[in-house]
Structure formats: structure tokens, C-alpha cells
């Protein structure tokens, strides 16, 4: 192991986590051929095979799991050190990475705009994804998440609450008439591979026999566009649906679906000037209810 450097171990850890060369390459910001070449070089250095290639991707061997475990511990130590050092950074300048999802980006885009105007020396990068970005692995410095149970290893504050209701396009709602029930409307559903069984249960209870007009495997932005196109109805956040003149709410706020909105960071980063300034600004700029 003395001849293997930390930069080498990053490649092993990325493949162990992601399972494919392409995803590991995307994580590391290099080409998939670079990943393959570096891993082959590491295997030659160590004299062992680290991964078995299967139809479903790369699977770590016992040696590969051992190397990945060491790499993960080293990564944790490096990230912890970076967090402590950055936590002592008092400059109101530099980079700041925010992770959120598109529905919350639309809700808080005004606060982001005013923050950039107020702090022009802070370079804000917004990572918009339905995947939960890891703050612990420094994929972002701050996150705006929709959750009623924020992770215990993160710190922050509650900045709002999101309620949901069923919406359809204005034209579809007018066509169906004011007395149409949920079951009479065509519905847009999520792709079955996304495991959205909660919606199956809700439809069985409130819209038995409803026709599924289309399924989507995409972001909430695409879902909203499909609703506006009149394809079918689906749940939207009330702040989002009510603000669009092309949409109409077709029922009351759905009880039990409410979610708090939290602004979160790592404990080591909360005293960083730009992180603290961002969190204070967003919290002040938004009303409690969303």
C-alpha cells in the first residue's frame, strides 16, 4: 500500500460506490477511459484484482472492498479537516455550493437572486437534483431540503412548510366540469421503477379505478409541464400550482403530505462567514409559510 497514493484510491472508491465506469467518471470529473486506466494501474501495483465485471456493473472483490474501506476512511478524515479549516474562514468571498431540488429552487429563487446582489464576491453554484446530495462528502456546502426529519449529523433551521393538492390544467378542469371526482380524471403517475406505492395507495382510497394516462421518470418540473399540457392530474405544491394561471386546484390540501423545508449545513461549516451569511439571508428573506 506504500506505493499507492490517495489520488489513486479515489478511483477505487468511486467505482465501488457507483458500480460503473461512466458514473464513477462523472463523479470524478474525468473520462471513463481514465478511470479504467487508473484502476488497472492500481491493480498492477498491488498485484490483485479489485473488481469483477458483471452484466450489472463492477462488483468489488474482497481486496477491492478492503481498499475501498481504507479510501473511505481517508476521505472522511480529509473532508473533516477541510470542514474544520473552512469553518474558520471569515472571508465573505469565495465559492458556495447549494444543493436543492427544482421545486424548491423555484420557491427560493428570489432569495438566491437577492443574496447574489448583496454578496457579489460569493460565487454561488446551485446543484439541482432529485437525488439527495451528500454534504458529508462535500458535494455541497448547504442544502435546502424538504423533510420533516432532518438528519442528525446536519445543523440548520426550518424556513418554511410545503402543502400539496391535486392540480389539472385549466382546460381539462373546465372540460370535466365542477362535479367531476378524482376517479373521473386521467392521472399522471411516476414510473413504476421509482417505487411510488404511496400514490397507488392514495388513488385506491380516493380515486378507485382512475385511468393512468401517462407515467414519467423525470423531475417535478416535467410533471408540472405534463399537468399544464392537459395530459392528466397530479399533486403539486400549493405555492407552485396556485401561482400558475394555466393550472387549477381540483381538491383541498391533502392532509398528511405536508413537509417542512430546512436549510442545512455541516456543524464544521456553520461558522464560515459565507455559509452563515447565506443561511441568515435566506431565512430572513422568506416567510415562515410556503
Amino acid at each position: 500500500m506504500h506505493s499507492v497514493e490517495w489520488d489513486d484510491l479515489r478511483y477505487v472508491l468511486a467505482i465501488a460506490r457507483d458500480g460503473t465506469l461512466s458514473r464513477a467518471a462523472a463523479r470524478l470529473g474525468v473520462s471513463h477511459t481514465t478511470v479504467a486506466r487508473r484502476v488497472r494501474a492500481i491493480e498492477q501495483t498491488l498485484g490483485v484484482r479489485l473488481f469483477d465485471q458483471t452484466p450489472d456493473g463492477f462488483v468489488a472483490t474482497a481486496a477491492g472492498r478492503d481498499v475501498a474501506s481504507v479510501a473511505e476512511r481517508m476521505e472522511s478524515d480529509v473532508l473533516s479537516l477541510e470542514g474544520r479549516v473552512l469553518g474558520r474562514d471569515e472571508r465573505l468571498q469565495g465559492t458556495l455550493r447549494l444543493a436543492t431540488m427544482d421545486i424548491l429552487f423555484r420557491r427560493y429563487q428570489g432569495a438566491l437572486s437577492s443574496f447574489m446582489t448583496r454578496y457579489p464576491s460569493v460565487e454561488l453554484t446551485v446543484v439541482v437534483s432529485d437525488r439527495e446530495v451528500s454534504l458529508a462528502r462535500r458535494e455541497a456546502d448547504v442544502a435546502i431540503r424538504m423533510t420533516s426529519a432532518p438528519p442528525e449529523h446536519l445543523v440548520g433551521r426550518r424556513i418554511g412548510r410545503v402543502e400539496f393538492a391535486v392540480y389539472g390544467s385549466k382546460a381539462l378542469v373546465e372540460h370535466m366540469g365542477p362535479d367531476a371526482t378524482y376517479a373521473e380524471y386521467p392521472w399522471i403517475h411516476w414510473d413504476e421503477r421509482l417505487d411510488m406505492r404511496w400514490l397507488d395507495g392514495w388513488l385506491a382510497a380516493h380515486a378507485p379505478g382512475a385511468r393512468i394516462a401517462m407515467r414519467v421518470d423525470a423531475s417535478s418540473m416535467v410533471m408540472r409541464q405534463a399537468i399544464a399540457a392537459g395530459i392528466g392530474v397530479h399533486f403539486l405544491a400549493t405555492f407552485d400550482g396556485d401561482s400558475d394561471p394555466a393550472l387549477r386546484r381540483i381538491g383541498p390540501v391533502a392532509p398528511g403530505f405536508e413537509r417542512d423545508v430546512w436549510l442545512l449545513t455541516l456543524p464544521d461549516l456553520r461558522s464560515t462567514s459565507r455559509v452563515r451569511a447565506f443561511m441568515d439571508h435566506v431565512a430572513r428573506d422568506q416567510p415562515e409559510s410556503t
Side-chain angles (χ1 to χ4, degrees):
M1 290 296 292
H2 66 278
S3 60
V4 177
E5 299 179 358
W6 159 241
D7 193 55
D8 295 325
L9 297 181
R10 292 170 56 239
Y11 290 84
V12 177
L13 184 57
I15 294 184
R17 283 174 172 164
D18 296 314
T20 69
L21 294 176
S22 58
R23 287 199 294 266
R27 178 189 293 272
L28 296 170
V30 298
S31 69
H32 73 278
T33 55
T34 297
V35 176
R37 184 176 66 254
R38 293 293 291 269
V39 171
R40 282 198 300 270
I42 298 166
E43 290 180 328
Q44 290 173 359
T45 298
L46 297 176
V48 295
R49 189 176 72 257
L50 299 178
F51 296 97
D52 291 324
Q53 189 169 3
T54 74
D56 295 325
F58 287 85
V59 178
T61 63
R65 291 194 297 272
D66 194 10
V67 173
S69 177
V70 171
E72 195 163 36
R73 291 197 299 272
M74 293 178 65
E75 179 193 58
S76 178
D77 288 343
V78 170
L79 294 177
S80 178
L81 173 61
E82 288 181 354
R84 293 195 300 272
V85 171
L86 288 173
R88 293 191 289 268
D89 189 350
E90 294 300 322
R91 297 171 299 168
L92 263 173
Q93 62 182 25
T95 60
L96 182 69
R97 289 178 65 85
L98 166 69
T100 190
M101 54 195 302
D102 54 12
I103 183 176
L104 295 179
F105 176 79
R106 294 196 298 274
R107 176 63 185 88
Y108 292 97
Q109 58 187 339
L112 304 185
S113 177
S114 60
F115 174 80
M116 290 184 289
T117 299
R118 186 176 182 182
Y119 301 103
S121 296
V122 177
E123 182 183 334
L124 181 65
T125 298
V126 183
V127 181
V128 180
S129 174
D130 289 336
R131 178 181 67 87
E132 191 168 285
V133 170
S134 172
L135 272 65
R137 291 202 293 268
R138 297 303 311 283
E139 295 175 351
D141 303 308
V142 186
I144 300 178
R145 290 184 182 169
M146 192 161 50
T147 176
S148 296
E152 293 183 358
H153 69 279
L154 300 178
V155 296
R157 63 191 73 176
R158 178 183 179 275
I159 59 173
R161 190 167 178 80
V162 179
E163 296 179 328
F164 293 86
V166 179
Y167 288 83
S169 70
K170 179 182 177 181
L172 178 61
V173 173
E174 290 177 349
H175 172 73
M176 297 296 294
D179 298 324
T181 65
Y182 286 139
E184 294 174 293
Y185 276 95
W187 278 78
I188 304 172
H189 205 323
W190 297 107
D191 189 311
E192 292 176 339
R193 292 174 296 179
L194 297 179
D195 191 19
M196 294 291 182
R197 284 174 289 184
W198 65 267
L199 183 55
D200 293 329
W202 190 92
L203 289 173
H206 298 90
R211 178 175 67 89
I212 305 301
M214 186 176 72
R215 291 181 179 269
V216 298
D217 180 3
S219 69
S220 58
M221 175 66 79
V222 172
M223 176 65 79
R224 183 170 179 262
Q225 292 172 337
I227 295 170
I231 294 172
V233 300
H234 193 80
F235 286 96
L236 289 176
T238 55
F239 74 79
D240 201 18
D242 290 348
S243 65
D244 190 336
L247 302 178
R248 291 291 183 272
R249 192 192 297 191
I250 64 171
V253 170
F257 290 169
E258 306 91 344
R259 293 292 183 272
D260 290 333
V261 180
W262 282 81
L263 185 58
L264 300 165
T265 190
L266 292 167
D268 288 337
L269 295 184
R270 61 181 165 184
S271 59
T272 306
S273 290
R274 55 188 178 273
V275 171
R276 186 172 63 248
F278 179 81
M279 296 183 74
D280 289 344
H281 180 87
V282 173
R284 283 196 307 267
D285 197 71
Q286 296 300 316
E288 174 68 12
S289 175
T290 58

